[in-house]
Amino acid sequence: MLTKVKKGWELPESAATDESVFRSRRSLIRGLAAGPILLGAPALLMGCKEDGGAASAVVAEATANEVDPSASLYPVTRNLRYRLDRPITDEELATTYNNYYEFGSSKNIWKKAQALPLRPWTIKIHGMVEKPFEIGIDDLLQQVQLEERLYRHRCVEAWSMAVPWSGFQMSQLVELAKPLSSAKYLRFASFNDPDVAGGQRAGWYPWPYIEGVTMEEAMNELAFMGTGLYGKPMPKQNGAPLRLVLPWKYGFKSSKGIVEVEFTDKRPISFWEEIQGGEYGFWANVNPDVPHPRWSQMTERVLGSDERVPTLLYNGYGEYVAGLYSGLEGERLYM
Ligand code: MTE
C-alpha cells in the first residue's frame, strides 16, 4: 500500500513534468483535435488525460454562473511591506498548473476542482481553546482584516511562482480562537468529500489532507490565511475558500480547502509525512543545501519562464523566520 502511494507522489506528470513540456502538451492537444498526429501520441495523451485546452475560457465558463458571495470584498489593499524580486506569475498559469491531490495527481485539475461547492462552508475551531466553535466562511471574512500580499511560493518539486494572495494574517485566526496556554500546535484539516473530489476515492491516501504548524509559526507575521488571488476570491483549484500560505516552507505545507483547525499539544502528522516520512517531514522549511532524497533543491524553475534560479534559504524569508528555529538544529528542519 505504501509503495503504491509513494508512486502517486512520484507520478511523472505530477512530480517531474517540466512546465514547458506541460505547456507544449497542451498546445499539442489543441492541435490533436485537428489531425492524425493523434495516432503517434498515446503516451502524451495519457499524460494529458485530465484535459488541456483553452484554459482561461473554460475556467471562465465553469465559474461564470457561480458568483462567489465574497466577490464584493475584492480587490483588497496591497500590503507593501512584502515585495518580490521577480515578476508576478501569469494568472492563467498559476490557476491552471496546480497540485490538489483531492482532484487527482496531475497538475491539470483546475476543471475538476470546479465541482467543489463553496457554500455553505463551515470551519470548525476546536481542541485546546477556551470555547470550541464553528464559523461560516462569510462570517469569518467579516471578522478579519483582509489585505493583499505578494509572496514567492516554492514547491518541493523545485518549481516556483510569485503571486498576489489576498487574505489575513494567521495570528488573527489564533486570536479569534482564544487558545489555551497548553496549546502548542495548530492542526489543519481539509475537506473530505469523495463525491466531489475523485482523488479522495483513492483509498490508499490518508484523507483528509492534514498539515500543521507550531503556535510560534502561526503567530509569525508571514503566516497567512489565503482567501483570494489576483484581486479576486480564491479560485477553487487554488484552495477556495480558505487555504494556508506559508511562503518560507515548501508548498505542500500550504493546505487548501480548510474546514477544521484544531489547537493541540501533539505535533500533527501531516498528509505527506504519513505517506512517506523519509521524504516529507513536519518542518519542511526551504533550504537549497538539503536535497530531497530524490532530487536537488539547489535551484528552482520559475513558472512561465525557462529560467532556473538559485533557491534561497527559507525561500528568501530568513529575516522574518530564521529565529523560529534557533535551538532546533537537531530536528529535520528542511524536510
Ligand atoms: N492542499 C490540499 N488540500 N491538497 C493538496 O494536494 N497540495 C500542496 C498544497 N496544498 C495540496 C494542498 C502542494 S504539494 C502545493 S505545491 C500547493 O498546494 C500548490 O498550490 P497551488 O496549486 O495554488 O500552486
Side-chain angles (χ1 to χ4, degrees):
M1 190 153 128
L2 267 185
T3 317
K4 200 168 186 188
V5 171
K6 184 178 167 195
K7 281 188 176 143
W9 181 248
E10 287 173 357
L11 278 177
E13 180 70 10
S14 60
T17 304
D18 189 87
E19 176 238 341
S20 57
V21 175
F22 172 86
R23 281 190 288 159
S24 63
R25 284 181 185 183
R26 286 174 50 191
S27 318
L28 174 65
I29 287 295
R30 280 176 210 145
L32 284 178
I37 188 177
L38 181 65
L39 289 174
L44 293 185
L45 279 176
M46 290 281 283
C48 288
K49 61 185 182 295
E50 301 208 41
D51 198 6
S56 51
V58 184
V59 170
E61 190 189 311
T63 51
N65 301 327
E66 195 185 345
V67 177
D68 187 307
S70 70
S72 63
L73 300 176
Y74 303 94
V76 291
T77 307
R78 181 173 295 174
N79 184 338
L80 297 175
R81 182 168 159 78
Y82 308 102
R83 294 178 186 278
L84 293 175
D85 59 352
R86 60 193 69 174
I88 291 179
T89 304
D90 176 67
E91 179 177 350
E92 179 176 324
L93 196 45
T95 56
T96 56
Y97 185 85
N98 301 104
N99 274 336
Y100 207 164
Y101 277 71
E102 283 84 339
F103 294 100
S105 53
S106 140
K107 291 284 177 287
N108 203 4
I109 53 73
W110 55 269
K111 200 171 168 190
K112 289 189 170 173
Q114 305 314 311
L116 182 67
L118 295 187
R119 298 293 187 282
W121 191 279
T122 306
I123 299 126
K124 181 178 172 189
I125 315 264
H126 68 119
M128 294 176 154
V129 292
E130 279 181 18
K131 200 171 171 213
F133 62 96
E134 294 191 356
I135 186 166
I137 184 68
D138 296 303
D139 286 344
L140 178 63
L141 292 174
Q142 291 305 319
Q143 294 189 37
V144 293
Q145 182 69 44
L146 293 177
E147 59 179 91
E148 182 179 73
R149 294 189 182 186
L150 303 180
Y151 277 167
R152 290 186 298 274
H153 172 93
R154 169 60 158 84
C155 180
V156 74
E157 298 162 354
W159 53 265
S160 69
M161 60 179 187
V163 293
W165 301 109
S166 307
F168 57 95
Q169 203 162 294
M170 196 183 285
S171 60
Q172 293 184 50
L173 181 75
V174 175
E175 278 151 27
L176 278 175
K178 299 194 176 60
L180 304 178
S181 58
S182 47
K184 293 191 172 60
Y185 301 94
L186 281 72
R187 178 183 183 274
F188 297 92
S190 301
F191 79 92
N192 191 4
D193 188 349
D195 287 343
V196 296
Q200 292 187 323
R201 294 196 281 274
W204 55 84
Y205 286 114
W207 305 112
Y209 198 94
I210 300 291
E211 262 306 340
V213 295
T214 64
M215 282 290 283
E216 292 74 25
E217 289 176 327
M219 295 305 286
N220 184 273
E221 67 169 271
L222 286 187
F224 201 61
M225 303 301 301
T227 62
L229 195 59
Y230 294 94
K232 290 170 272 191
M234 187 72 76
K236 295 181 180 187
Q237 62 272 29
N238 292 92
L242 187 66
R243 69 170 289 169
L244 307 186
V245 183
L246 301 164
W248 72 99
K249 292 181 179 284
Y250 291 116
F252 70 85
K253 292 289 297 182
S254 290
S255 297
K256 302 176 173 184
I258 290 167
V259 294
E260 194 183 319
V261 187
E262 180 185 356
F263 289 79
T264 169
D265 58 359
K266 292 184 185 56
R267 188 156 106 176
I269 298 173
S270 65
F271 181 80
W272 290 113
E273 189 180 4
E274 186 166 341
I275 292 169
Q276 192 62 6
E279 301 194 352
Y280 309 101
F282 172 76
W283 298 103
N285 296 310
V286 175
N287 187 337
D289 294 329
V290 179
H292 182 277
R294 289 182 280 121
W295 58 82
S296 164
Q297 297 289 25
M298 293 290 284
T299 61
E300 63 206 52
R301 187 170 46 80
V302 179
L303 287 194
S305 77
D306 295 325
E307 219 188 336
R308 284 204 87 88
V309 300
T311 287
L312 303 172
L313 180 61
Y314 297 115
N315 200 20
Y317 294 104
E319 63 177 299
Y320 300 98
V321 298
L324 291 170
Y325 306 105
S326 55
L328 292 174
E329 287 74 14
E331 301 251 349
R332 296 193 319 164
L333 289 174
Y334 307 107
M335 283 186 75

